[in-house]
Amino acid sequence: MIPVSSATELPTFADVLLAAERIKPWAHRTPVLTSRTADAELGASLFFKCENFQRMGAFKFRGAMNALAQFDEAQRKAGVITFSSGNHAQGTALAAQLLGIPATIVMPLDAPAAKVAATRGYGANVVTYDRYKEDREQICARLAEEKKLTVIPPYDHPHVMAGQGTATKELLEETGLLDALFVCVGGGGLLSGAALAARALSPDCKIYGVEPEAGNDGQQSLRSGSLVSIATPKTIADGAQTQSLGNYTFGVIRRDVDDILTVTDEELVACMRFFAERMKMVVEPTGCLAFAAARKHRAQLQGKRVGVIISGGNIDLGKLSAYLAN
């Protein structure tokens, strides 16, 4: 693959600060919402960072814009390529459109139709593959080599990680010190970026990643101390259907994250219903991971100040209706 830079060191909070300034002209400063019902249920004070209200509907716009904004003239002219099940695809496509950069996105055949349509709507060329039989990184690398495109992976890149960290930076600037922070985990870009910001702005905060029970590669990796890879998990949390954390993301997670927890698909559906009924928000299954874990571990959160990152709200309305009807 052709990286944006030859950086080999892990990103730092200084990189998050630079990313915040870099993406400021384009990214929304998303709201931090509270819910008395959620507070009463958990016996804690919860602060929801609502990245479902970010441009293109998810935090992924932050990392993509931070990475693409650093392209040189040759890279901008040739174009960007990435692989994604949906949100990084949309984030990259939108960032590329805003910056006038051609974009090619490798997406699985079973990616949510709304995410595929939105990616194409932002002007990107979509190349599909079978996620259970084909290797998306190999497809991406081949196309990058053929067309001299710059690869921006969905999570395992310092510029992407720093961009994602800006969400937690904003959260903590608004809330002040937190006792705990819950963040969803796919490849670890959001969690690692969150850890960089939280360790700098709220050093004593406990940081928890959250995965679907069917895909706990991150949990296995953190607890074993080495990267664990699994088969593509089958879960409604399509944004967390990754097979392993990245080298960069795991480096930060291993150092800074306290634990990685898991929740079931049924618990995600219950959270989707809560957000829709009580907070009047559309949240995709992956976006519910953090709150589902906070609910599950409420006994340890009594009287605490708790941050919850809602990662996105991109879901087919037909699927949303089906989930909420059950």
Side-chain angles (χ1 to χ4, degrees), residues 48-99:
F48 297 93
K49 179 60 170 172
C50 298
E51 286 295 289
N52 51 318
F53 295 129
Q54 185 53 260
R55 291 186 77 158
M56 50 69 47
F59 74 94
K60 289 286 192 176
F61 178 73
R62 296 173 181 270
M65 179 55 79
N66 187 49
L68 269 63
Q70 298 181 67
F71 275 23
D72 61 28
E73 186 176 346
Q75 289 173 313
R76 286 176 180 247
K77 184 176 180 180
V80 63
I81 186 169
T82 193
F83 46 91
S84 166
S85 64
N87 283 339
H88 180 65
Q90 293 173 85
T92 301
L94 177 56
Q97 181 189 64
L98 293 170
L99 295 171

Side-chain angles (χ1 to χ4, degrees), residues 179-258:
D179 298 304
L181 176 67
F182 290 83
V183 186
C184 70
V185 185
L190 182 63
L191 178 58
S192 57
L196 294 175
R199 285 289 167 252
L201 299 177
S202 188
D204 295 327
C205 177
K206 295 290 186 181
I207 303 171
Y208 300 106
V210 188
E211 293 178 303
E213 194 173 79
N216 71 332
D217 58 284
Q219 183 185 69
Q220 292 182 58
S221 297
L222 183 61
R223 295 182 181 182
S224 69
S226 60
L227 274 176
V228 173
S229 183
I230 63 172
T232 301
K234 294 187 177 182
T235 169
I236 64 171
D238 62 280
Q241 285 184 296
T242 48
Q243 295 176 297
S244 103
L245 299 174
N247 290 314
Y248 286 111
T249 60
F250 183 54
V252 173
I253 290 168
R254 178 171 53 185
R255 183 190 68 198
D256 292 337
V257 171
D258 291 282

Side-chain angles (χ1 to χ4, degrees), residues 69-296:
Q70 298 181 67
F71 275 23
D72 61 28
E73 186 176 346
Q75 289 173 313
R76 286 176 180 247
K77 184 176 180 180
V80 63
I81 186 169
T82 193
F83 46 91
S84 166
S85 64
N87 283 339
H88 180 65
Q90 293 173 85
T92 301
L94 177 56
Q97 181 189 64
L98 293 170
L99 295 171
I101 298 172
T104 299
I105 316 292
V106 179
M107 300 186 73
L109 288 165
D110 61 348
K115 294 184 179 182
V116 177
T119 301
R120 288 195 170 113
Y122 292 131
N125 173 41
V126 174
V127 176
T128 58
Y129 75 101
D130 185 334
R131 77 162 89 218
Y132 299 104
K133 296 179 180 179
E134 297 178 279
D135 188 317
R136 64 183 188 173
E137 295 190 37
Q138 288 182 3
I139 296 170
C140 192
R142 174 175 55 79
L143 292 172
E145 183 65 27
E146 290 175 0
K147 301 182 180 182
K148 307 304 178 187
L149 307 176
T150 297
V151 178
I152 295 297
Y155 48 85
D156 201 30
H157 193 289
H159 296 169
V160 173
M161 295 159 64
Q164 316 308 24
T166 61
T168 296
K169 170 184 173 291
E170 291 175 6
L171 170 66
L172 289 166
E173 286 172 346
E174 195 157 330
T175 65
L177 299 177
L178 294 176
D179 298 304
L181 176 67
F182 290 83
V183 186
C184 70
V185 185
L190 182 63
L191 178 58
S192 57
L196 294 175
R199 285 289 167 252
L201 299 177
S202 188
D204 295 327
C205 177
K206 295 290 186 181
I207 303 171
Y208 300 106
V210 188
E211 293 178 303
E213 194 173 79
N216 71 332
D217 58 284
Q219 183 185 69
Q220 292 182 58
S221 297
L222 183 61
R223 295 182 181 182
S224 69
S226 60
L227 274 176
V228 173
S229 183
I230 63 172
T232 301
K234 294 187 177 182
T235 169
I236 64 171
D238 62 280
Q241 285 184 296
T242 48
Q243 295 176 297
S244 103
L245 299 174
N247 290 314
Y248 286 111
T249 60
F250 183 54
V252 173
I253 290 168
R254 178 171 53 185
R255 183 190 68 198
D256 292 337
V257 171
D258 291 282
D259 201 2
I260 294 181
L261 312 170
T262 65
V263 297
T264 66
D265 281 2
E266 291 74 19
E267 288 165 332
L268 295 180
V269 171
C271 288
M272 291 173 67
R273 184 174 292 111
F274 178 90
F275 285 131
E277 291 181 344
R278 308 302 307 206
M279 297 182 72
K280 315 308 175 188
M281 293 194 300
V282 172
V283 181
E284 64 186 278
T286 307
C288 294
L289 283 165
F291 182 45
R295 278 179 135 179
K296 194 170 187 174

